[in-house]
Structure formats: C-alpha cells, structure tokens
Amino acid sequence: MIPSYRRTHLATLEDESVHILRELAAERERPCLLFSGGKDSIVLLRLAEKAFRPAKFPFPLLHVDTGHNFPETLVYRDRTVEALGERLLVAHVQDSIDAGRAVEETGPRASRNRLQTTTLLDALEHHKFDAAIGGARRDEERARAKERIFSHRDEFGQWDPKNQRPELWALYNGRVRRGEHLRVFPLSNWTELDVWQYIAHENIPLPSIYFAHHREVFERDGMFYAANPFVTLLPNERIRTELVRFRTIGDMTCTGAVKSEARTLDEVIAEVAAARLTERGATRADDRFTEAAMEDRKREGYF
C-alpha cells in the first residue's frame, strides 16, 4: 500500500522559494546571492541547492564584510563555500573607508553596520549585478514587511515603498532598466520559527554561536554584547561571563545576545516559539535609532 502524502507548511514554503530562485535565474542575467553565514542566508543556500543541483549555482555568492564580524561566522562561511564548490566574492567596508566612500563612525556606540550600504551598492555596480538575493523576511521588521518579493531599486540603489510593483498569483516582474536592479527575497513569507524548523528538518549545520554557550559580554541598553576590540566600554560597563546565544548575527558592534540555555535545535525551536519579540527587535541596536530606522536605511540602499 502506497502511503498518502501529507503536505507540510515547510514543503509549501520550500516550493515557493525554489520557484522564486528559478524564476529569477530565468529573468535576470547577472544575479548574486548575499551570503553572510547567518541562518537565513544558510537556508537560502540549501534552497539554491534544491533549485539547481546537480548544476552549479547560476550566480556567485556575495558577502559585505564590515571587518567586525564574529570569527565563528567567518570560519563557517569559508568552510561552507569550500564544501559547496561555489564562488564567493567579498566586498570590504574597510575598502570603502580607505577610498573615502564611507566615513568611519567614532564614539562608544560607533558601528560599521550602516556603512555596508555604500559597500554593497559599489559591489553591485562593479560586478554589474542586476539582482541581489537576500534572506530578509517580512516578520522581522515593519519596513521589511512592506517589501515585494521582487523589490525594485532605482539607478541610485534606492527603494521607494510607495511605488512598488504588484505581485499577483506568484507572477514576478523582473524587468529593470540599465543601472537599476532588483532585491529578491525568497524567504519573504517565512517566519523565524519556520527557518529553525526547516534547519532541523534538513539537518543543516550552523555556526556554534546560535546555540547557548558561555561568553564574555557586557550589558548596554538592555542587551548583552560580545566583548570585542571594536567597542569602547562606557564608565559603568563591565565585562562578565554569561550563558547566551545569538538569535541573529550581524556586526559585533550592534548585535546583541540573549540569555539562553538552548543548546540543541529542539530547545532553540521551543524558545523561539515562546518569544514575544522578533530577533531584530530584541537584539539589533541599529534598528533602535528611530521608529523608522530600517525603512530609512532601506530607502538609501540597505539590504
């Protein structure tokens, strides 16, 4: 007797994402996939394998490196790219600073996170990419909830949330003029919980900092930051050891950790299911400058 096939919501999400990747590959000539070693971009890699293997990916991988990344993430990035046998391009924020294209921030809350916009736009122009695939999800933040799956950027790399293209019945408009490009988000309809459940289902290895571990941290503005050489402590701040994990991974200067005892995928999934704040809302200082911090950055060309 042939067992009946029960379609899960993860299979439905996977099918949609694979369709988006294949549609992009068919419509655009020079796409790239943004890969940072974070969980969402790791899931994108697995989906790209589902979409194109046994062939090579029809696009290179691109990482915008602030120079202030978590070491564990960079080790994972390089090991994963080598195992896949794919091409990785790295655009460095330091090069943008050295060229006078970006200005280093100063002070105890200085960060290079916002400087990534210039580096990204320069990399897209240099390599003539006409689309950049990213791992952003609509549940992360209100500005990202406004994004289309095929999100148009003008010749200056800017996004206009009031002038977006309709997307009806999974029909995507991949047309751009010379100098314009698309940001494409295959995980738009996923949630943080979906991502973790998919990682568990696919048995995808992750950087160790996504799981609870003892780490030297300091507390600032209600968040725990990893002790690192890129941040100057304020007079009342002290480094101590806490059992923490990271829900999202970005620049060390603006990415906070959460107290956690979740050392396994099942424990992380249970923790995420009970969480009341998104991972960016809970642990990303760069989203706390203003109510519209993310939208302002996205208008300028941020991820």
Side-chain angles (χ1 to χ4, degrees):
M1 179 178 177
I2 300 176
S4 62
Y5 178 65
R6 295 182 59 191
R7 186 152 196 82
T8 68
H9 79 287
L10 290 179
T12 301
L13 289 171
E14 180 187 79
D15 283 353
E16 179 188 51
S17 298
V18 166
H19 168 69
I20 291 166
L21 289 168
R22 289 174 175 168
E23 186 70 15
L24 173 66
E27 291 202 39
R28 299 311 320 153
E29 296 180 0
R30 295 183 63 83
C32 65
L33 188 150
L34 301 175
F35 178 62
S36 64
K39 66 181 186 306
D40 299 304
S41 63
I42 291 168
V43 168
L44 278 182
L45 286 192
R46 177 55 56 89
L47 293 168
E49 290 185 81
K50 297 286 184 80
F52 304 113
R53 287 294 193 244
K56 301 277 285 185
F57 295 168
F59 40 68
L61 311 179
L62 173 65
H63 181 211
V64 178
D65 185 352
T66 66
H68 295 169
N69 296 288
F70 289 91
E72 299 97 320
T73 310
L74 295 181
V75 169
Y76 179 94
R77 180 199 70 183
D78 295 340
R79 185 174 64 240
T80 300
V81 171
E82 182 179 4
L84 288 173
E86 296 293 342
R87 179 186 177 202
L88 173 68
L89 304 172
V90 181
H92 298 277
V93 169
Q94 184 63 54
D95 292 342
S96 298
I97 295 171
D98 293 343
R101 295 278 297 151
V103 178
E104 185 91 75
E105 295 181 4
T106 59
R109 287 182 167 81
S111 173
R112 288 185 173 183
N113 194 61
R114 291 178 292 281
L115 306 187
Q116 293 179 86
T117 298
T118 297
T119 307
L120 172 63
L121 294 177
D122 286 349
L124 296 178
E125 181 179 3
H126 175 75
H127 295 286
K128 307 301 180 186
F129 290 133
D130 54 17
I133 306 164
R137 310 184 321 269
R138 287 175 176 148
D139 76 318
E140 289 182 273
E141 199 273 341
R142 68 188 69 181
R144 286 183 165 170
K146 298 179 182 180
E147 287 274 23
R148 296 291 193 261
I149 292 175
F150 274 39
S151 185
H152 176 263
R153 297 299 195 271
D154 66 19
E155 64 270 27
F156 302 105
Q158 296 180 334
W159 172 63
D160 181 0
K162 295 181 180 179
N163 185 25
Q164 298 195 72
R165 299 167 173 178
E167 289 182 342
L168 307 174
W169 307 295
L171 298 176
Y172 306 111
N173 184 347
R175 296 180 181 178
V176 293
R177 296 186 179 92
R178 184 180 297 276
E180 300 175 341
H181 70 275
L182 298 173
R183 304 287 173 85
V184 179
F185 304 110
L187 303 184
S188 287
N189 293 328
W190 296 52
T191 67
E192 183 186 7
L193 185 59
D194 292 330
V195 168
W196 279 105
Q197 289 176 331
Y198 188 77
I199 288 168
H201 180 268
E202 293 289 310
N203 195 28
I204 303 173
L206 293 175
S208 59
I209 61 175
Y210 275 119
F211 302 97
H213 59 289
H214 287 96
R215 197 179 196 101
E216 288 190 337
V217 298
F218 63 95
E219 188 171 1
R220 175 180 293 179
D221 302 328
M223 293 190 291
F224 290 109
Y225 293 92
N228 66 82
F230 312 117
V231 173
T232 302
L233 296 182
L234 298 173
N236 63 329
E237 294 173 343
R238 298 291 182 270
I239 292 175
R240 66 181 191 265
T241 300
E242 295 281 357
L243 183 62
V244 299
R245 75 175 190 89
F246 290 85
R247 290 178 64 185
T248 181
I249 298 176
D251 191 293
M252 294 180 74
T253 60
C254 63
T255 304
V258 295
K259 282 190 175 183
S260 174
E261 297 182 357
R263 300 177 185 270
T264 68
L265 280 173
D266 286 343
E267 290 171 345
V268 170
I269 289 170
E271 186 176 275
V272 170
R276 296 296 183 92
L277 292 174
T278 67
E279 66 267 46
R280 292 194 68 94
T283 64
R284 292 297 289 268
D286 50 324
D287 290 344
R288 297 186 175 189
F289 285 102
T290 67
E291 286 291 321
M294 173 63 82
E295 182 163 329
D296 290 343
R297 282 179 289 145
K298 289 179 70 64
R299 287 175 182 270
E300 297 170 358
Y302 190 73
F303 305 142

